[in-house]
Amino acid sequence: MKSVSAQGCARGFGFGALLGVSLLDFAAVGAEGHDLRPSAAVLAVGLAALLWPVGRRPAWLTPQVRTAAPAVVSLALTVAVVLTGGQRVFGPGEITIMLCLLFIAVRHCPPRWAVVCGTLAGVAGLALPVGFARSLTDDQPLGFMVVGLLLIGLVGMLAGYLRSLDFKRTVAVAETRRDERVAIAADLHDFVAHHVTGILVQTQVARMMAEARTSGTSESSGTSETSGLSGSDDLDPVLAGIERAATEALASMRLTVGVLRDTGQPDAADHRPVGDLAGISDLLEGFASPGQKVTLHRDPALSDDLPHEVQAAAFRVVQEALTNVRRHAADATEISVGLWCEDQRLMVAVADDGRGGTQLPAAARGGGFGLVGLTERVTALGGTLWAGPRVGHGWEVRAAFPQRKSL
């Protein structure tokens, strides 16, 4: 059995109170012998705007619409009564609805709309005695308006105070998140940079040892020199690639740390996504190894005049696909990367002929979140991402981005 929270009880009491005072309006209008339809229209629109369940509200039912529509209907009816010389009876239900709409407008509407919608709700509430003035003395409508102004002022101030508390809470949450990002940046630098720097240093030492061994062998004999040089020539490019990869990893990590530590300083604009279409060639050159052939097929008609975010996302698609080849298909011998235009979209495809062989330990194969994050990045730009097996054997990653021009 579910327990009823205090908030649920308060919401239920509010709903019941609104329905109760609305019934009082019908009783007042019926007692005066007037048509119930105008009041019913205002109350129906107002109650729908206030009581519509949050989880079932359509996208168009924004706070602006919820607050402006009932106020406009009420004002229109009041103006029609005044112009036709009739009389409009009102009760506590319509007044309560207008005050609730004023509260929602001031607290939840965007700043400019809060002024417009709050004014509409306030004017609609103050105009109610005007349509009823023909049955009262001259002083009574003025008294109603004074009381209405007092209630409108109190409700408006309460809503404004709560809105200021919401703003302060948002600022506090943003500050907390910023502090957490700074802490994550520090941890990233302390742990990851330590290990990557160790890889870089050990690679440099290995290259120095290989050069020293080659030099020593060349001094001992010409035959050994030839053999030693051959071994060094095979090993040095591999070590150079490791050194370059470690250096690029440190550079990328420094940029990432800079983004995490960004506090809104003027140089924050420099922290743009890494990589573009031109950088894919360098990416493939650094990925290539003696046992793997990487080929880039780029449509000559493909322009570089694309938003940097789109180019960076395309770069990340290729980078993540190549990383997955190393993790899960190290036996692939041919890898092809395609960049072309199709139906006003930038198309990116990476395919390999691997059969799932890998030499990486289990801890280095990743947790399966690369494609998930990549999908979020691609869809955020309005694109689509697909990844799956090829016909026969191999794997393919394909992405499509809207080909918008940069501004």
Side-chain angles (χ1 to χ4, degrees):
M1 182 177 179
K2 293 184 178 180
S3 59
V4 180
S5 63
Q7 185 177 5
C9 291
R11 185 181 294 110
F13 177 78
F15 288 176
L18 280 175
L19 293 176
V21 293
S22 299
L23 291 177
L24 291 178
D25 279 27
F26 283 109
V29 174
E32 294 288 337
H34 292 279
D35 189 1
L36 295 175
R37 288 176 294 180
S39 297
V42 177
L43 293 174
V45 176
L47 291 175
L50 294 174
L51 304 183
W52 200 310
V54 178
R56 298 182 179 179
R57 288 175 190 164
W60 56 266
L61 193 58
T62 60
Q64 300 92 292
V65 175
R66 293 173 57 207
T67 54
V72 169
V73 173
S74 177
L75 275 175
L77 290 176
T78 301
V79 171
V81 167
V82 172
L83 293 179
T84 58
Q87 181 185 14
R88 186 182 174 203
V89 179
F90 68 95
E94 191 168 350
I95 297 175
T96 304
I97 288 176
M98 293 303 153
L99 291 176
C100 292
L101 295 177
L102 172 64
F103 181 87
I104 293 175
V106 175
R107 185 175 184 185
H108 297 293
C109 286
R112 294 182 180 179
W113 281 104
V115 176
V116 175
C117 297
T119 302
L120 278 175
V123 171
L126 289 176
L128 290 176
V130 176
F132 192 54
R134 296 180 181 276
S135 63
L136 301 174
T137 62
D138 294 337
D139 293 337
Q140 286 177 318
L142 181 62
F144 275 113
M145 297 185 71
V146 170
V147 174
L149 281 174
L150 179 61
L151 292 175
I152 289 173
L154 291 175
V155 171
M157 287 189 294
L158 176 61
Y161 173 72
L162 294 178
R163 184 174 184 133
S164 67
L165 291 183
D166 294 339
F167 176 76
K168 292 179 181 179
R169 186 181 302 109
T170 302
V171 172
V173 170
E175 290 292 330
T176 302
R177 289 179 176 175
R178 187 189 67 83
D179 294 340
E180 290 177 351
R181 290 169 65 184
V182 172
I184 292 172
D187 292 341
L188 179 65
H189 183 273
D190 292 343
F191 293 106
V192 180
H194 170 75
H195 296 294
V196 175
T197 304
I199 295 173
L200 179 60
V201 171
Q202 293 180 54
T203 304
Q204 292 173 340
V205 172
R207 294 189 69 184
M208 293 173 60
M209 293 176 61
E211 291 176 0
R213 182 177 300 175
T214 301
S215 176
T217 304
S218 64
E219 292 178 358
S220 60
S221 66
T223 304
S224 299
E225 177 184 357
T226 303
S227 175
L229 283 173
S230 177
S232 177
D233 290 342
D234 292 338
L235 182 61
D236 190 69
V238 177
L239 295 176
I242 298 174
E243 182 179 0
R244 182 173 60 253
T247 303
E248 293 175 353
L250 286 173
S252 299
M253 188 189 61
R254 280 195 296 270
L255 181 59
T256 303
V257 170
V259 173
L260 290 174
R261 295 181 64 89
D262 177 27
T263 56
Q265 298 300 323
D267 60 346
D270 296 335
H271 300 314
R272 302 206 303 174
V274 181
D276 52 18
L277 296 183
I280 292 179
S281 299
D282 297 334
L283 179 64
L284 300 185
E285 182 180 350
F287 178 83
S289 63
Q292 291 178 329
K293 179 182 178 182
V294 185
T295 307
L296 174 62
H297 303 280
R298 174 169 175 168
D299 185 355
L302 181 60
S303 172
D304 288 332
D305 187 22
L306 294 174
H308 189 81
E309 291 75 15
V310 173
Q311 297 191 48
F315 182 92
R316 284 286 294 114
V317 168
V318 176
Q319 186 181 50
E320 181 64 27
L322 295 179
T323 301
N324 287 337
V325 170
R326 282 178 173 165
R327 288 174 175 171
H328 309 293
D331 60 340
T333 57
E334 293 187 2
I335 304 165
S336 62
V337 178
L339 300 171
W340 73 95
C341 300
E342 182 178 310
D343 298 332
Q344 300 298 318
R345 295 182 300 172
L346 169 64
M347 307 297 297
V348 182
V350 182
D352 65 80
D353 61 350
R355 298 178 181 271
T358 179
Q359 290 82 35
L360 290 179
R365 296 178 193 171
F369 300 106
L371 288 178
V372 174
L374 203 59
T375 301
E376 294 174 351
R377 178 190 289 263
V378 173
T379 54
L381 297 175
T384 57
L385 181 73
W386 177 87
R390 302 174 63 190
V391 177
H393 58 272
W395 192 267
E396 182 177 10
V397 177
R398 187 182 294 264
F401 300 92
Q403 194 176 355
R404 299 185 296 269
K405 297 294 184 181
S406 60
L407 300 177

